[in-house]
Amino acid sequence: MNTPLIDPFARAINYLRISVTDRCDFRCVYCMSENMTFLPKKELLTLEELDRMCSAFVRLGVKKLRITGGEPLVRRDIMTFFRGMSRHLETGALSELTLTTNGSQLEKFADDLYAAGVRRVNVSLDTLDADKFARITRWGRLPQVLRGIDAAQKAGLRVKINTVALQDFNEDELFTLTDWCAERDMDLTFIEVMPMGDLGNEDRLGQYWSLKDLRAQLAARATLTDLPENTGGPARYVRVESTGQKIGFITPLTHNFCESCNRVRITCTGEIYTCLGQEGHSDLRGPLRSSEADDVLEDAIRAAIALKPKGHDFDYSRQQIDGQVSRHMSHTGG
């Protein structure tokens, strides 16, 4: 029962991203509709069920656990869950516990996260212009996020900034963002916008800014050295020689990274998606709730991993949004 999770293409699955809520205090235009209908709370996994789910994956070889949402820190009593997961860090069964956040609640929770064993956080931040920030997040306020980043660094957390590259939105801030992160000793990762969610109000093709172009602009100003390292995710990294800064590129469209995929995602309702860019998923909430014995859940996990596809189908190359998946990013977990 404790043999590692291996998918049909001989990839070891050792990285779990689990959403703890579909709710968020922002409404970022590439992630959510402005008027979202959220799930009834009874459909969400309880904190105890989240603990049991994650613990099962840890027993099956998952070494890295990333907590996502929605915004994970708006989930009521979420620190109870983080403190529970810290026991797996203490035994060495889990090597890293981390989260992706919009930063709005970091000022409140940074010290508690560090005490629970979190050492790195990813903060989603697409602009340093307050007006543009309010526009793209719809409900967000930049000063609150900046205070959260300050609090995280003061608490001892390593902060990485995640920036979605958006044509005609933050192209003019490329060097502003990179310089700001370098000055604060923060790594930076750029992400291509992915075709997910209802396109009724947002033009994904119009938003798309190829990271090949972005990298070329960086390379015109500074010497970039490719780095072999990774942090368990899909980013490819370079070092900016003039500053020593590390910059990552997540390029699902211009460079498919599926061959090394080591991760799966679980929604806050207990559905497992073994590929971000495919609709296929399996239910784990049913097996979790059907028996207090963990073997039923573990069998369901193994069955789901056996269905993991070779890769996604995202493609903008023909000037149409092929590979579009209907669910919002907030449903799957960022």
Side-chain angles (χ1 to χ4, degrees), residues 55-315:
S55 296
F57 273 90
V58 171
R59 284 195 303 275
L60 296 175
V62 161
K63 303 297 290 184
K64 178 175 179 177
L65 178 61
R66 178 173 294 278
I67 310 306
T68 69
E71 168 49 47
L73 296 180
V74 302
R75 172 81 188 249
R76 185 186 297 273
D77 296 326
I78 190 59
M79 288 312 305
T80 301
F81 170 72
F82 276 99
R83 287 189 288 269
M85 287 297 98
S86 69
R87 70 185 186 277
H88 298 306
L89 293 170
E90 293 167 0
T91 65
L94 190 65
S95 60
E96 185 174 38
L97 172 64
T98 184
L99 79 152
T100 296
T101 173
N102 64 26
S104 68
Q105 304 301 311
L106 278 177
E107 188 174 19
K108 177 179 179 182
F109 289 113
D111 289 330
D112 291 337
L113 288 167
Y114 190 90
V118 175
R119 294 296 178 265
R120 290 195 309 128
V121 297
N122 289 359
V123 178
S124 300
L125 181 64
D126 302 323
T127 176
L128 293 172
D129 181 289
D131 291 337
K132 287 166 65 176
F133 184 87
R135 189 161 73 248
I136 198 166
T137 63
R138 294 192 180 105
W139 295 7
R141 297 295 176 263
L142 182 62
Q144 180 182 6
V145 172
L146 297 182
R147 291 196 304 271
I149 292 171
D150 288 340
Q153 290 192 301
K154 184 178 180 181
L157 297 170
R158 181 74 183 172
V159 176
K160 179 165 76 70
I161 301 298
N162 284 346
T163 298
V164 177
L166 296 166
Q167 183 172 274
D168 299 327
F169 178 78
N170 55 11
E171 289 170 289
D172 61 337
E173 292 189 76
L174 172 60
F175 299 124
T176 302
L177 282 162
T178 54
D179 291 346
W180 179 72
C181 287
E183 291 167 3
R184 300 190 57 130
D185 189 28
M186 297 186 299
D187 295 329
L188 171 64
T189 291
F190 290 103
I191 305 169
E192 286 177 335
V193 66
M194 286 177 272
M196 300 187 70
D198 177 13
L199 295 182
N201 298 316
E202 294 300 329
D203 175 15
R204 294 293 191 275
L205 189 58
Q207 292 174 332
Y208 174 60
W209 176 20
S210 168
L211 293 196
K212 284 185 177 179
D213 176 65
L214 186 153
R215 176 172 172 153
Q217 291 186 43
L218 286 174
R221 192 182 78 155
T223 300
L224 307 181
T225 301
D226 289 310
L227 298 175
E229 66 186 271
N230 68 70
T231 58
R236 287 172 166 80
Y237 292 96
V238 299
R239 181 175 60 247
V240 181
E241 293 300 338
S242 58
T243 63
Q245 174 185 21
K246 188 168 70 173
I247 295 180
F249 303 93
I250 297 180
T251 55
L253 303 164
T254 56
H255 188 291
N256 186 303
F257 46 70
C258 301
E259 70 280 355
S260 60
C261 184
N262 63 339
R263 59 206 161 275
V264 295
R265 290 170 168 82
I266 294 179
T267 71
C268 53
T269 58
E271 296 173 315
I272 180 171
Y273 283 84
T274 53
C275 177
L276 180 63
Q278 299 280 3
E279 296 282 13
H281 61 278
S282 303
D283 172 49
L284 296 181
R285 185 180 63 188
L288 176 72
R289 291 180 174 177
S290 70
S291 173
E292 294 183 2
D294 288 329
D295 57 339
V296 176
L297 173 60
E298 292 180 7
D299 286 345
I301 291 171
R302 291 190 183 280
I305 298 301
L307 299 175
K308 185 172 172 64
K310 188 173 183 179
H312 64 66
D313 298 318
F314 292 149
D315 185 8

Side-chain angles (χ1 to χ4, degrees), residues 314-328:
F314 292 149
D315 185 8
Y316 287 163
S317 64
R318 291 177 292 277
Q319 291 300 294
Q320 62 186 21
I321 305 175
D322 290 341
Q324 164 75 24
V325 296
S326 60
R327 65 188 185 277
H328 286 277

